[in-house]
Amino acid sequence: ISLDEEMEVFPTPITVIPNFLDEEGRNNLISYAKNNISFVDHPTLSDGSKSSFYTHKSVLSSYKDLEKKIELEIIKVAKRMGLPDVVLANSWINIQTKNTILKKHNHLVVGHDSLISGVIYLKVDEDQNKFNYQWFCIQPKNGDLILFPSWLNHGSGDLNKSKERIVLSFNGILKRITIQHNQLECYQ
């Protein structure tokens, strides 16, 4: 290969599923979150925005059908990446206010084996900022699901121009099976 050629050796798989969650499902989740979940500051969100990341282990634990639907998509992505089955580990909701940013970050956390992460856009408008990572941008719409490797740095970059931007985020980890004391034990 010469110096002026470029070869794609390690492509980064990003999966976008338009309209993954319909309007009724989005509104139901937003209502549930605003009435039942406490939100606090999060270091990846600028002032004025809140997250349930530290206050609610898994928003999807109250939505088993949606949780299963997301897991099925994560498993498809894991198979395409050559990984064994992945299960949801945690999920949370971020609420961004106007003129705030989602700082560049990834979902690799010490002690957390996240491999595939994702987001469902519950409330965005046409003026809202994009999901991005340095050289590419995805313009999400309400209900869109985006799945990506947990190591991928991403953020919104520009100021949120929406009045309110609400997303459901989640991480998937390897499904582990261990044998302990002559018993088969499956855990997440």
Side-chain angles (χ1 to χ4, degrees), residues 7-171:
M7 183 195 314
E8 186 173 280
V9 179
F10 302 107
T12 302
I14 307 290
T15 301
V16 179
I17 302 174
N19 205 25
F20 181 79
L21 186 60
D22 64 19
E23 184 176 5
E24 180 181 353
R26 293 191 312 270
N27 289 335
N28 188 359
L29 258 173
I30 291 168
S31 177
Y32 170 80
K34 287 186 172 184
N35 293 314
N36 298 292
I37 296 176
S38 58
F39 292 86
V40 296
D41 294 338
H42 189 279
T44 63
L45 295 167
S46 61
D47 292 341
S49 296
K50 302 288 183 189
S51 177
S52 68
F53 184 81
Y54 296 117
T55 62
H56 202 78
K57 182 179 178 334
S58 182
V59 171
L60 288 170
S61 64
S62 298
Y63 291 87
K64 291 296 184 190
D65 288 345
L66 179 58
E67 182 178 54
K68 191 66 179 163
K69 186 178 173 185
I70 292 168
E71 269 190 354
L72 291 173
E73 295 302 328
I74 289 174
I75 289 169
K76 289 179 194 175
V77 170
K79 287 192 186 320
R80 286 195 302 269
M81 292 173 66
L83 300 170
D85 283 353
V86 174
V87 295
L88 282 174
N90 61 339
S91 57
W92 63 96
I93 290 182
N94 290 337
I95 300 178
Q96 257 185 277
T97 55
K98 188 173 182 169
N99 296 324
T100 60
I101 63 167
L102 175 64
K103 299 170 189 168
K104 187 169 135 181
H105 67 285
N106 62 49
H107 291 227
L108 294 179
V109 180
V110 176
H112 195 286
D113 301 331
S114 182
L115 292 173
I116 299 172
S117 296
V119 61
I120 297 176
Y121 290 85
L122 302 177
K123 184 178 178 185
V124 295
D125 61 36
E126 290 153 15
D127 291 332
Q128 68 89 44
N129 46 1
K130 300 168 178 72
F131 171 92
N132 75 70
Y133 171 71
Q134 294 178 336
W135 300 286
F136 72 85
C137 295
I138 298 170
Q139 181 70 56
K141 294 182 176 71
N142 286 324
D144 285 359
L145 167 69
I146 299 177
L147 299 171
F148 52 92
S150 298
W151 53 259
L152 182 69
N153 285 327
H154 61 281
S156 62
D158 298 330
L159 285 175
N160 177 41
K161 296 173 187 147
S162 296
K163 293 177 184 146
E164 186 176 57
R165 175 184 177 187
I166 303 175
V167 300
L168 168 72
S169 299
F170 50 86
N171 291 318

